[in-house]
Amino acid sequence: MPKLSVVVPFYNVQTYAPDALKSLELNARDDFEFLLVDDCSTDGTPDLLERAARELPGAVHLRHRSNGGLATARNTGLDAARGEYLAFLDGDDWLAPGHLARMLTAIEALNCDFVRTDHVRCTGRTRSVQRVPFGPQSVVADPRGAILPADRATSVDYPYAWAGMYHRRLLDRGLLHFTDGLRTAEDRPWIWRLHREAGSFAAVGLPGVFYRRGVSTSLTQIKDERQLDFIRAFDEVLDGVAADRESDLLLPKSVRTYCAIIAHHFGSIERYEPSVARKLRLMSAAALGRMPQDVLDRVLDSMDAERSALLRRLRGSRRTPSGAAV
């Protein structure tokens, strides 16, 4: 059994894949494996991965015959993973030399289910360190205790799968797989499930992942219908929280986060095609209607005036005979 399996999905990132692959080379050990998942790329990415499979120690090249999205590609890697511990990297990001070994040392010393790390956000030439929103460092804690409070950024608002390392027992319990087919926000139900159901975690700093922002092929930059998968992702969050033993305690946080994400999408609605913008309005209004209304009332009362007004208008909208939201 390898000590560590690293799942790395790639899709049409031939410009950035060399950086990711070079960083894996600078992290390689005899007991590490790198699962390079090509999600049916149509550029030069497959050739780069074929070469890496020959030259990069521990590399395994896995190929999809059709594009399934990031969640499905990560699941393919997880299904093939043999390691005692697991980690993730995206194909357009990269790691500092030795970062994986440092994370492994940390999680083994703490003997917890998973660790979360800081990361470096890279926008052009600008670099900024993004911290795990959890105060104690290198202290084992209950993951459920890092979900609240509702009105501040907490660990469930830091969903990046690649910002951490995870013991295999979480995979065996079904906690590391992503919802198959989700094209965006796939990490939101994942991080909520992890914090609700895992037994222990720790924040350890170690900002060794470099997260590349502003990539033209990234879904964060593309405003098409795939973006609307955030509705399905947050519906899954709400369903999980509603069934939780502490649902009364956790629902305000999940509803508030869902509302904040809806408002965020409306902040850039002019970038959507008209038909997709119309669908965003209709789907968001329906989502607000599915939320527990007493909790939603309290959340809207607690939000800033601008977002609260937007969401109240959306909540009260009706469909005309032509199907447009008013």
Side-chain angles (χ1 to χ4, degrees):
M1 176 186 290
K3 177 62 73 172
L4 174 66
S5 297
V6 186
V7 176
V8 194
F10 295 82
Y11 177 64
N12 287 354
V13 288
Q14 65 178 7
T15 302
Y16 308 111
D19 290 340
L21 295 169
K22 181 63 177 179
S23 76
L24 293 176
E25 180 185 344
L26 295 175
N27 276 267
R29 279 185 6 184
D30 290 344
D31 54 352
F32 289 1
E33 68 173 1
F34 303 121
L35 302 162
L36 313 177
V37 184
D38 173 32
D39 194 21
C40 198
S41 296
T42 58
D43 63 357
T45 300
D47 293 336
L48 294 171
L49 300 186
E50 284 288 348
R51 179 177 176 181
R54 297 190 302 267
E55 299 179 359
L56 174 62
V60 178
H61 185 195
L62 306 171
R63 302 189 68 173
H64 283 176
R65 293 187 176 182
S66 60
N67 179 260
L70 181 58
T72 301
R74 284 176 174 166
N75 288 343
T76 294
L78 289 171
D79 289 341
R82 299 177 298 135
E84 181 182 356
Y85 293 91
L86 298 106
F88 300 92
L89 180 68
D90 285 352
D92 51 5
D93 299 332
W94 73 98
L95 303 171
H99 175 65
L100 295 175
R102 287 189 288 273
M103 277 203 298
L104 181 60
T105 297
I107 194 171
E108 288 191 308
L110 292 165
N111 192 29
C112 55
D113 284 344
F114 67 100
V115 296
R116 300 292 281 158
T117 69
D118 303 337
H119 71 274
V120 181
R121 177 177 292 179
C122 307
T123 305
R125 296 182 178 275
T126 302
R127 304 286 187 268
S128 61
V129 176
Q130 306 296 305
R131 305 290 186 187
V132 181
F134 185 74
Q137 291 282 302
S138 300
V139 175
V140 178
D142 180 356
R144 296 178 72 90
I147 296 174
L148 299 176
D151 60 349
R152 291 211 311 266
T154 68
S155 292
V156 291
D157 303 309
Y158 189 82
Y160 317 107
W162 35 256
M165 189 169 285
Y166 314 89
H167 196 282
R168 185 176 189 87
R169 57 180 168 262
L170 297 175
L171 181 64
D172 295 339
R173 290 179 56 195
L175 298 183
L176 288 188
H177 277 78
F178 297 80
T179 301
D180 200 51
L182 273 182
R183 297 285 180 162
T184 191
E186 77 293 328
D187 45 12
R188 296 294 185 150
W190 179 87
I191 194 69
W192 270 88
R193 185 176 66 245
L194 201 58
H195 273 276
R196 287 193 301 105
E197 299 187 28
S200 58
F201 94 114
V204 295
L206 299 179
V209 181
F210 292 81
Y211 171 41
R212 200 188 303 267
R213 295 281 290 173
V215 176
S216 60
T217 56
S218 170
L219 275 183
T220 60
Q221 302 296 309
I222 300 171
K223 298 298 184 182
D224 64 17
E225 194 161 338
R226 290 173 292 179
Q227 284 283 350
L228 303 184
D229 272 8
F230 85 89
I231 297 282
R232 185 156 68 100
F234 275 95
D235 280 350
E236 186 177 335
V237 171
L238 279 190
D239 288 345
V241 171
D244 191 90
R245 66 181 186 271
E246 294 182 303
S247 59
D248 289 346
L249 185 65
L250 301 180
L251 272 171
K253 174 67 174 179
S254 57
V255 168
R256 185 184 179 93
T257 305
Y258 199 165
C259 287
I261 296 298
I262 290 173
H264 170 76
H265 280 270
F266 272 80
S268 58
I269 196 170
E270 73 284 348
R271 295 175 57 192
Y272 287 88
E273 291 293 323
S275 62
V276 180
R278 183 165 55 251
K279 193 170 184 178
L280 171 62
R281 291 188 182 94
L282 295 175
M283 292 179 67
S284 297
L288 290 167
R290 289 191 297 272
M291 296 177 192
Q293 297 301 293
D294 57 333
V295 177
L296 179 58
D297 285 335
R298 296 197 300 272
V299 165
L300 294 179
D301 287 343
S302 69
M303 296 183 82
D304 61 271
E306 183 177 355
R307 289 189 299 175
S308 178
L310 165 68
L311 294 164
R312 289 182 195 277
R313 288 196 304 271
L314 190 58
R315 181 194 196 187
S317 66
R318 294 295 184 266
R319 296 177 70 175
T320 67
S322 66
V326 297

